[in-house]
Amino acid sequence: MGLLFQGTMEDHKEEVEATEEPKVEEEKSAPCLENSVPNVIKKASFNDGVKRGLHECCKAIDRGVGLMCFLASNCDEPNYLSLVKALCAMRSVKLIEVPDNKTLGAWAGLCKLDAKATARKVVRTSVVVITDFGERTPYLEWLLNEYKPASE
């Protein structure tokens, strides 16, 4: 018993194309601080371009490989804030202040993800430095245009 197929392959392709649902393009939100920072950190982490914590970040900025710095404004130690701000000003690194260190830690990947990709057990971090942006995105371009280096 064989299968009997009538028509040509072009007819079959037209049927398949007609039954496929139209692809809905992702609606991208407008760049803002809350959208841009996690996106830039995520893209940079693919290229091992993210330094987390005071020690790693200060070393990266001091060596001159830091390109952008995210600093939590609710840091517990005011000396950390003044140290990072001074290093960024000295090396002309873009300094962007974010409101919460727990949120910054989640964005930097210092957390466990559950089955629904919700961040659990988030470790707070006061500073994150980007050393390699990776792929250029509209979010990165927005941050580069919106925030000037700390020395200006």
Side-chain angles (χ1 to χ4, degrees):
M1 223 185 192
L3 292 174
L4 199 62
F5 180 74
Q6 294 177 347
T8 62
M9 285 298 284
E10 287 78 27
D11 294 337
H12 182 65
K13 285 181 185 176
E14 289 174 10
E15 286 178 21
V16 172
E17 289 174 4
T19 58
E20 290 180 5
E21 294 183 23
K23 295 180 181 177
V24 179
E25 292 184 23
E26 290 182 16
E27 185 176 314
K28 294 187 178 185
S29 56
C32 69
L33 187 67
E34 290 79 22
N35 295 338
S36 299
V37 173
N39 187 287
V40 168
I41 292 174
K42 181 178 164 184
K43 295 290 183 189
S45 67
F46 293 151
N47 295 322
D48 292 330
V50 178
K51 303 295 180 195
R52 305 164 186 96
L54 185 68
H55 185 70
E56 282 186 29
C57 291
C58 287
K59 283 190 340 185
I61 294 170
D62 197 33
R63 281 193 219 133
V65 296
L67 303 173
M68 185 178 288
C69 179
F70 301 105
L71 181 65
S73 58
N74 69 339
C75 177
D76 298 334
E77 186 63 41
N79 292 335
Y80 288 179
L81 295 173
S82 60
L83 172 66
V84 172
K85 286 178 181 179
L87 281 172
C88 288
M90 185 175 74
R91 296 291 185 175
S92 299
V93 175
K94 289 184 184 285
L95 178 66
I96 300 170
E97 289 197 23
V98 295
D100 187 33
N101 55 6
K102 195 166 188 173
T103 306
L104 184 59
W107 289 343
L110 297 173
C111 60
K112 299 279 184 184
L113 297 177
D114 63 4
K116 296 179 183 176
T118 306
R120 302 279 185 220
K121 297 183 181 181
V122 179
V123 177
R124 298 179 301 158
T125 187
S126 297
V127 62
V128 172
V129 171
I130 304 296
T131 59
D132 182 10
F133 290 124
E135 162 184 347
R136 302 291 274 205
T137 63
Y139 297 108
L140 174 61
E141 296 299 328
W142 183 82
L143 280 176
L144 291 174
N145 293 332
E146 191 72 22
Y147 295 94
K148 301 299 176 202
S151 63
E152 292 180 1

